[in-house]
Amino acid sequence: GASSSTYENASNFILHRFVAHADSVTAITCGIGLCNSTIIISCSLDCTCKFWNLLLGTHLRTVEFPCTVFGVALDPTESEFYVAGSEGFIYKGTMKVESKQLVSQGLQLVKWAQKHGGAIVSLVMMNEGQNLISAAEDGSVWVWEAVTGQVIMTLQNEMGSISHMVVATGRGARMDSSGS
């Protein structure tokens, strides 16, 4: 094991420490914005996504969902974000909300109509923001058209449930499965 002095030395390099969620963090994504501001979005078993400014170390916004959130993706322009719900739906939200009234009414989020047969465990943005790929515990992988929220291709994993997905340079997807 590492000595306590190793951890003390490591803490000297920590720029910001966020006390964020009421439960385990399930995914984090980030984008590089204008004026060198870096936005981070974290999601959690506490049914929220939290938005952070990394350079300033400040909390910007919290969005609540009706279910546990397992994945989050940000489009390349940083104008929209996508959230993977444990109930099988994808939620699309806008990064800039025009009024507090819209936030209180929940109108900054759109739940896409099509639903996976299990919890969505991973989301990946592809093709310069044109497509979103979702992977669910039921073994399904769907390719979505990001603008319309329509599924344009479905893949079925015959190895069992999916626990994580990695997409390689826009040319394919690799799925880790638990097998059966």
Side-chain angles (χ1 to χ4, degrees):
S3 68
S4 63
S5 65
T6 302
Y7 292 118
E8 289 169 9
N9 291 338
S11 68
N12 292 335
F13 296 103
I14 296 173
L15 182 60
H16 300 291
R17 182 173 289 146
F18 300 100
V19 178
H21 292 278
D23 208 331
S24 298
V25 172
T26 55
I28 296 174
T29 192
C30 64
I32 304 299
L34 301 174
C35 303
N36 295 322
S37 66
T38 301
I39 301 296
I40 292 178
I41 306 172
S42 58
C43 57
S44 170
L45 294 177
D46 68 5
C47 305
T48 67
C49 281
K50 295 193 180 242
F51 297 74
W52 310 90
N53 181 307
L54 178 62
L55 295 181
L56 299 177
T58 56
H59 175 250
L60 302 172
R61 174 177 165 202
T62 297
V63 178
E64 295 183 16
F65 293 87
C67 62
T68 299
V69 178
F70 288 125
V72 60
L74 183 60
D75 81 330
T77 65
E78 296 184 23
S79 60
E80 297 171 323
F81 65 96
Y82 303 84
V83 173
S86 62
E87 86 292 52
F89 285 110
I90 290 179
Y91 295 85
K92 179 180 179 179
T94 58
M95 290 296 289
K96 292 185 180 182
V97 178
E98 299 299 323
S99 75
K100 289 185 179 183
Q101 182 179 8
L102 288 177
V103 173
S104 67
Q105 294 173 353
L107 297 178
Q108 81 277 14
L109 291 175
V110 174
K111 181 170 72 173
W112 284 355
Q114 292 176 278
K115 177 183 175 186
H116 278 275
I120 302 171
V121 295
S122 190
L123 284 179
V124 177
M125 183 63 62
M126 291 279 304
N127 300 326
E128 299 172 356
Q130 293 179 34
N131 300 108
L132 189 71
I133 301 177
S134 59
E137 284 180 333
D138 67 356
S140 62
V141 176
W142 293 356
V143 180
W144 303 78
E145 186 176 65
V147 173
T148 65
Q150 297 296 311
V151 174
I152 58 173
M153 183 185 304
T154 61
L155 306 169
Q156 193 66 31
N157 177 8
E158 297 180 13
M159 296 181 288
S161 76
I162 297 172
S163 60
H164 188 67
M165 173 180 62
V166 176
V167 176
T169 326
R171 297 180 193 234
R174 177 181 158 231
M175 293 152 286
D176 294 330
S177 67
S178 59
S180 34

